[in-house]
Amino acid sequence: MDHKALAQEMRGLREQVAGITDTAVAAADGLLIAADTADSIDPEGLAALAAAGLGLARRTADATDRGALHRTVTYGSHGCAAFYAVGDTALMVVLGDEGMDVDRLHMATHPALSRIGSILTAQDSKAPEGV
């Protein structure tokens, strides 16, 4: 896997959107793939929680016939956590402080998610046959 390319995408979001404090990419089952988080954040725990939350949101969107889930955002008194689906097999988490412009985040995230999906897909296509 091209961890350098994933790190570049996460850094690129921080450069585009003021207020981003932490980012992570995880598999849909909650296993951490890459993280750029503060020492106070447990990236493995964040990945697992994000996967659980995104899974519930996906089921809710499906049960209410809202179509494929794109994202969910949780707001707290000190900022927010945005969870984005990366296809059906992965997700990205973006944590931000109170000043983060969530609309700007959503606009900046759309092309990044496409590139992250391509990075993750390239990894899968390089696996030897029979694996």
Side-chain angles (χ1 to χ4, degrees):
M1 166 165 330
D2 191 348
H3 285 279
K4 184 177 178 180
L6 287 175
Q8 183 177 346
E9 290 299 331
M10 291 187 285
R11 271 194 312 276
L13 278 176
R14 280 187 190 236
E15 292 169 2
Q16 292 179 52
V17 182
I20 292 177
T21 59
D22 307 273
T23 57
V25 175
D29 64 2
L31 293 176
L32 182 66
I33 296 171
D36 179 17
T37 57
D39 291 338
S40 61
I41 302 288
D42 170 22
E44 288 86 7
L46 177 62
L49 288 168
L54 197 64
L56 287 172
R58 273 190 171 130
R59 290 182 67 186
T60 301
D62 186 51
T64 58
D65 200 26
R66 301 295 105 183
L69 179 75
H70 297 281
R71 66 180 174 251
T72 184
V73 181
T74 301
Y75 294 90
S77 59
H78 299 293
C80 67
F83 308 99
Y84 296 90
V86 181
D88 292 330
T89 61
L91 61 98
M92 184 174 70
V93 182
V94 179
L95 304 181
D97 61 24
E98 303 92 345
M100 185 174 67
D101 182 344
V102 177
D103 291 331
R104 173 94 175 107
L105 174 66
H106 295 330
M107 288 188 315
T109 301
H110 184 73
L113 292 172
S114 178
R115 291 188 299 266
I116 289 169
S118 294
I119 293 165
L120 297 175
T121 302
Q123 169 215 350
D124 292 340
S125 66
K126 292 181 183 179
E129 285 187 37
V131 174

